[in-house]
Amino acid sequence: MLLSASKLSVEPVKLGWTQRAIFKPVLKIGLLGLLGIGSINLHAQAANVEPTGKSATNGNSLTAGLQLISLNVDDDLIDNEASESGMLRVADETDSRTDDDIDALGDNAVADLTDDNLTDIPAEVAQVSLNAISPETLKTFVAVVDLVRRQYVDPVNDEELFDNAMSGMLTKLDSHAEFLDAEAYENLRAFTEGDVGNVGLKAEYQPAEGYWVVTDIVDESPADKKGITVGDYIHQIGQFKIDGDRQSNDVEQLLNGIAGTQVDVTVSKAGRRKRVITLQRNNTHLQTIETRLVDGIAVIKLPAFQNNTRERILQSLTNLDAPVTGILLDLRDNPGGVLISAVKVASLFMSDTDVVQVKSRQSKLRTLSTQEAALLKPLPVVILQNRYSASAAEVLASSLQTQQRATIVGEVSYGKGSVQSVIPLNNEQAVKLTVAHYLTATGKKIDKIGVQPDVSLSGNERTWEQQALDVLRQQVRSSGLRFVKKDNVDSVADNDKESI
């Protein structure tokens, strides 16, 4: 399944200049190309841009009819950017797979996993057939299943046991691999179009107890179904221990995440043994992008990367209805999302530039580059990140930093350098599997290292935005750009003339 964007008209106008250039890109992206949906999580902010929930192929593109007015910037620069169009370029064009296949095997994924494609399996592995598994191992497996059937405190059917066995096999590979049942698979597909998820609980730190305590449980939510109740203690979320030093926002970010993904939560009843419960973030709600204007600077809070993120950023700038002199892109707590979406967002700021390198077992090193109009190229950019900024967020930050296109402000990011592909098994089930690693455009490793900020910040994060704005203000050099609806371009230009 492909999502195509409608035509976007961009009109570069310097006051008193009447020449027009029309940019009509064609964008295609894989529905399930995911990057960074493991242990880092997101929080959906209140926003002024609502997802449409519809494919752009229906003619209702978020950016249909937008025009860009240049306010005192270089005419040639915008004219050149407006002339660019086309598909996202992959450096190795001799490969028969599309660029989407790097991180999404797509609807025909099962066919792609035939023996003909397994060219990099060690001989000692390739020669082992299923019936060569140790009889003792098979005997032990059957014995465990039978033991659970007979002795477990509650009845469990065989379907559930085998689903759990598949899930355990995958999660033991790495923290990002998962078996997706029908509900998780549907939620993950919904995420690419705009949904985020939570586990259905809230918690507060209670100093008298010395623990984070569950204060609310949503009925029929994943937390409710797994037996978590109000008053339970929370000791750890994923790999992060939580104590009195954590902020409420930290805990919320760790619990919430991309719809359909899962998180391990270590809980206990008061005075009882700790237990680890795996919860899927299936309590879904719409993700929104918050964009606001602060002294002429657009502050864009981007919680994740989805299919239409680039278009929604442009739409949010149009909704500001005012000139923009700089962009503060807030990627704090952004867990990643669709890889190609991060590349498309990078294309707003850079033209014909390498963004990320991807290496898998089945193909040589490949480089993803921008080839769309860099509509925001004239504007200075600051990226604000924290320790929860991961994966696709790190792809964007590292690419703009490498090209000296943006100043990175905050703390060292998470350091997730692996690519997950969602591989359908049938219409209702799928496997999320780590299929590749990525490097920066210059070949530097990010996994377990992260992106180093140009300006380090510490202390209370509530002050970080103001500090980032101070950095950006020093870089503002022009009157900026303004996005308007096509039918409003003449009146806006007239008003701007009168204000000079």
Side-chain angles (χ1 to χ4, degrees), residues 148-283:
V148 173
R149 282 172 175 166
R150 293 182 291 106
Q151 300 292 334
Y152 187 65
V153 62
D154 297 316
V156 182
N157 63 50
D158 289 350
E159 291 290 338
E160 183 177 352
L161 287 177
F162 277 83
D163 281 356
N164 291 342
M166 288 184 287
S167 179
M169 174 182 66
L170 291 166
T171 54
K172 284 293 185 180
L173 292 176
D174 62 51
S175 61
H176 309 299
E178 295 180 46
F179 172 73
L180 304 176
D181 60 18
E183 185 178 13
Y185 185 26
E186 179 56 34
N187 283 330
L188 197 53
R189 284 188 284 196
F191 161 75
T192 66
E193 302 303 328
D195 284 357
V196 297
N198 60 62
V199 298
L201 71 83
K202 292 183 179 180
E204 294 179 359
Y205 184 73
Q206 298 186 0
E209 301 286 343
Y211 293 105
W212 284 85
V213 179
V214 176
T215 57
D216 185 46
I217 294 289
V218 177
D219 290 341
E220 297 301 312
S221 67
D224 184 34
K225 293 177 181 178
K226 287 296 184 75
I228 298 178
T229 60
V230 172
D232 286 356
Y233 296 161
I234 300 181
H235 305 276
Q236 185 168 324
I237 302 172
Q239 60 183 299
F240 298 100
K241 293 182 179 180
I242 60 172
D243 52 30
D245 293 333
R246 294 281 184 181
Q247 302 295 319
S248 296
N249 186 59
D250 289 340
V251 175
E252 187 172 14
Q253 302 300 340
L254 292 170
L255 288 171
N256 295 352
I258 295 172
T261 59
Q262 64 187 28
V263 60
D264 291 333
V265 180
T266 303
V267 301
S268 71
K269 306 291 183 183
R272 296 198 179 180
R273 181 179 299 178
K274 297 177 183 177
R275 58 193 179 115
V276 179
I277 300 177
T278 300
L279 301 174
Q280 286 188 326
R281 300 181 180 97
N282 291 345
N283 200 45

Side-chain angles (χ1 to χ4, degrees), residues 25-322:
V26 178
L27 314 176
K28 294 183 180 180
I29 52 183
L31 175 63
L32 292 176
L34 299 179
L35 170 67
I37 48 180
S39 56
I40 299 300
N41 315 282
L42 62 92
H43 171 62
Q45 302 285 341
N48 56 10
V49 179
E50 295 292 339
T52 63
K54 298 179 181 179
S55 168
T57 54
N58 63 7
N60 295 325
S61 170
L62 291 173
T63 51
L66 289 190
Q67 298 204 6
L68 175 65
I69 296 182
S70 167
L71 305 179
N72 191 27
V73 294
D74 191 323
D75 299 345
D76 294 334
L77 175 62
I78 294 186
D79 188 43
N80 290 337
E81 298 307 327
S83 66
E84 296 180 5
S85 63
M87 294 289 292
L88 178 73
R89 179 173 62 84
V90 179
D92 177 21
E93 296 181 353
T94 61
D95 196 312
S96 60
R97 294 178 126 187
T98 68
D99 32 348
D100 293 340
D101 289 323
I102 291 177
D103 64 325
L105 298 181
D107 294 337
N108 297 319
V110 177
D112 287 342
L113 297 179
T114 61
D115 291 341
D116 292 339
N117 290 329
L118 303 180
T119 58
D120 193 30
I121 299 179
E124 63 271 19
V125 176
Q127 293 173 0
V128 177
S129 61
L130 183 61
N131 59 14
I133 295 175
S134 166
E136 290 300 319
T137 299
L138 293 175
K139 180 179 178 181
T140 301
F141 180 81
V142 172
V144 170
V145 171
D146 186 58
L147 181 65
V148 173
R149 282 172 175 166
R150 293 182 291 106
Q151 300 292 334
Y152 187 65
V153 62
D154 297 316
V156 182
N157 63 50
D158 289 350
E159 291 290 338
E160 183 177 352
L161 287 177
F162 277 83
D163 281 356
N164 291 342
M166 288 184 287
S167 179
M169 174 182 66
L170 291 166
T171 54
K172 284 293 185 180
L173 292 176
D174 62 51
S175 61
H176 309 299
E178 295 180 46
F179 172 73
L180 304 176
D181 60 18
E183 185 178 13
Y185 185 26
E186 179 56 34
N187 283 330
L188 197 53
R189 284 188 284 196
F191 161 75
T192 66
E193 302 303 328
D195 284 357
V196 297
N198 60 62
V199 298
L201 71 83
K202 292 183 179 180
E204 294 179 359
Y205 184 73
Q206 298 186 0
E209 301 286 343
Y211 293 105
W212 284 85
V213 179
V214 176
T215 57
D216 185 46
I217 294 289
V218 177
D219 290 341
E220 297 301 312
S221 67
D224 184 34
K225 293 177 181 178
K226 287 296 184 75
I228 298 178
T229 60
V230 172
D232 286 356
Y233 296 161
I234 300 181
H235 305 276
Q236 185 168 324
I237 302 172
Q239 60 183 299
F240 298 100
K241 293 182 179 180
I242 60 172
D243 52 30
D245 293 333
R246 294 281 184 181
Q247 302 295 319
S248 296
N249 186 59
D250 289 340
V251 175
E252 187 172 14
Q253 302 300 340
L254 292 170
L255 288 171
N256 295 352
I258 295 172
T261 59
Q262 64 187 28
V263 60
D264 291 333
V265 180
T266 303
V267 301
S268 71
K269 306 291 183 183
R272 296 198 179 180
R273 181 179 299 178
K274 297 177 183 177
R275 58 193 179 115
V276 179
I277 300 177
T278 300
L279 301 174
Q280 286 188 326
R281 300 181 180 97
N282 291 345
N283 200 45
T284 60
H285 54 279
L286 288 176
Q287 177 198 278
T288 50
I289 294 177
E290 177 187 0
T291 301
R292 52 196 172 83
L293 202 62
V294 180
D295 298 331
I297 294 174
V299 180
I300 303 173
K301 174 64 178 177
L302 192 60
F305 291 89
Q306 297 173 295
N307 283 349
N308 58 1
T309 295
R310 181 181 186 273
E311 287 195 325
R312 289 168 61 196
I313 288 175
L314 294 174
Q315 180 65 66
S316 72
L317 293 174
T318 304
N319 291 347
L320 293 177
D321 193 25

